[in-house]
């Protein structure tokens, strides 16, 4: 949706920090934490408190919401009141429970870039309208099967930490067999312990794919490159 889709020529909304800067816009970029010396500790806490109260009070005019600084757990938890959201992007935070997004039935784009504390993806299984899904920074998730229930996803990116790099080990990528609709697939810094990468070859609509090479993977990386629309 809009600027979250990264379309050329789109004008991104200005970044705001305080709730009183919000004027009813449908697309909002929030930097409510990591404020440096401009704000005292009490002022910084009050800023988060005000946003949390606003979000938890129920649906707002916001359709696309992006957090570009650390998202504390209490702020993420407050998002369960924003059931109208169509796009949500979270840079990183200490949130572990994804149930606050489970009721966002209108979501079409979901980006969780710092999901290092998340251990269970089951709350995402019912988000059938999501078309673009990115989850990275994963550390604790082993079971990716709930993603297979998200039948609307066309563009999927999963992984650990690009910068470290921290490799995530999951049970398998068998969930991909439930997602023949996928157009693009990027699996970075993530490995399947069963070493079965065959499900990647069973995605008939792919136009772009890349996975991380793993010793002993079946089929080999060379076979995957030869038989898929590989993107370097």
């Amino acid at each position: 949706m809009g600027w979250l889709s990264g379309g050329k020529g789109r004008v991104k909304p200005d970044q705001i920090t305080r709730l009183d800067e919000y004027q009813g816009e449908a697309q909002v970029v929030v930097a409510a934490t990591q404020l440096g010396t401009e704000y005292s500790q009490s002022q910084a806490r009050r800023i988060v408190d005000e946003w949390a109260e606003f979000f938890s009070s129920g649906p707002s005019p916001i359709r696309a919401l992006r957090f570009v600084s650390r998202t504390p757990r209490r702020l993420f938890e407050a998002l369960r009141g924003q059931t109208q959201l169509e796009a949500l992007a979270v840079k990183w935070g200490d949130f572990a429970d994804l149930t606050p997004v489970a009721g966002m039935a209108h979501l079409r784009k979901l980006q969780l870039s710092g999901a290092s504390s998340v251990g269970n993806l089951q709350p995402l299984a019912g988000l059938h309208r999501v078309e673009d899904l990115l989850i990275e920074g994963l550390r604790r998730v082993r079971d990716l099967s709930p993603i297979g229930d998200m039948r609307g996803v066309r563009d999927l990116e999963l992984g650990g930490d690009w910068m470290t790099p921290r490799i995530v080990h999951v049970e398998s990528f068998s969930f991909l067999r439930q997602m023949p609709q996928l157009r693009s697939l990027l699996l970075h810094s993530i490995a399947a312990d069963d070493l079965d990468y065959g499900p990647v070859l069973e995605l008939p609509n792919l136009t772009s794919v890349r996975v991380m090479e793993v010793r002993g993977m079946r089929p080999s990386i060379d076979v995957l490159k030869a038989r898929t629309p590989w993107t370097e």
Side-chain angles (χ1 to χ4, degrees), residues 147-196:
I147 296 177
D149 293 327
M150 302 176 71
R151 304 301 174 82
V153 174
R154 301 291 188 271
D155 304 299
L156 176 63
E157 179 175 343
L158 300 173
D161 189 334
W162 279 103
M163 303 298 293
T164 311
R166 180 184 293 272
I167 308 302
V168 179
H169 286 267
V170 296
E171 294 172 357
S172 79
F173 294 137
S174 60
F175 75 95
L176 292 173
R177 293 192 170 96
Q178 298 173 250
M179 308 185 78
Q181 78 283 356
L182 281 181
R183 296 176 305 195
S184 69
L185 174 65
L186 173 56
L187 302 174
H188 71 81
S189 308
I190 189 169
D193 285 347
D194 68 358
L195 298 177
D196 181 10

Side-chain angles (χ1 to χ4, degrees), residues 3 11 15-17 43 60 62 64 66 68-69 85-86 101 110 121 138 150 164 174 176 179 196 198 217 220 225 230:
W3 50 272
V11 177
Q15 178 177 298
I16 62 176
T17 293
Q43 288 174 324
S60 70
I62 301 174
R66 173 180 285 177
V68 294
S69 61
L85 284 178
E86 298 175 24
V101 304
L110 177 61
L121 300 181
L138 292 170
M150 302 176 71
T164 311
S174 60
L176 292 173
M179 308 185 78
D196 181 10
M217 64 193 301
S220 69
K225 288 182 177 181
W230 193 267

Side-chain angles (χ1 to χ4, degrees), residues 25-128:
E25 298 88 350
Q27 301 184 29
V28 181
V29 180
V30 178
T33 61
Q34 300 176 281
L35 303 179
T37 58
E38 184 178 351
Y39 297 88
S40 67
Q41 290 187 353
S42 62
Q43 288 174 324
R45 284 194 297 270
R46 184 161 58 251
I47 286 171
V48 173
D49 289 342
E50 289 175 350
W51 278 114
E53 182 178 357
F54 171 76
F55 289 133
S56 63
S57 65
S60 70
I62 301 174
R63 294 293 180 267
L65 174 63
R66 173 180 285 177
F67 291 102
V68 294
S69 61
R70 181 179 178 275
T71 306
R73 188 171 304 184
R74 62 194 173 109
L75 187 55
F76 188 83
E77 172 66 26
L79 294 178
R80 68 175 67 244
Q82 298 299 295
T83 54
Q84 82 291 341
L85 284 178
E86 298 175 24
L88 173 64
V90 179
K91 184 176 182 180
W92 72 287
D94 62 351
F95 55 93
D97 180 8
L98 295 183
T99 56
V101 304
M104 298 179 183
H106 302 287
L107 270 185
R108 292 190 283 120
K109 184 159 190 169
L110 177 61
Q111 298 179 342
L112 301 174
S113 297
S116 59
S117 296
V118 173
N120 185 355
L121 300 181
Q122 188 58 42
L124 303 183
L127 298 177
H128 300 303

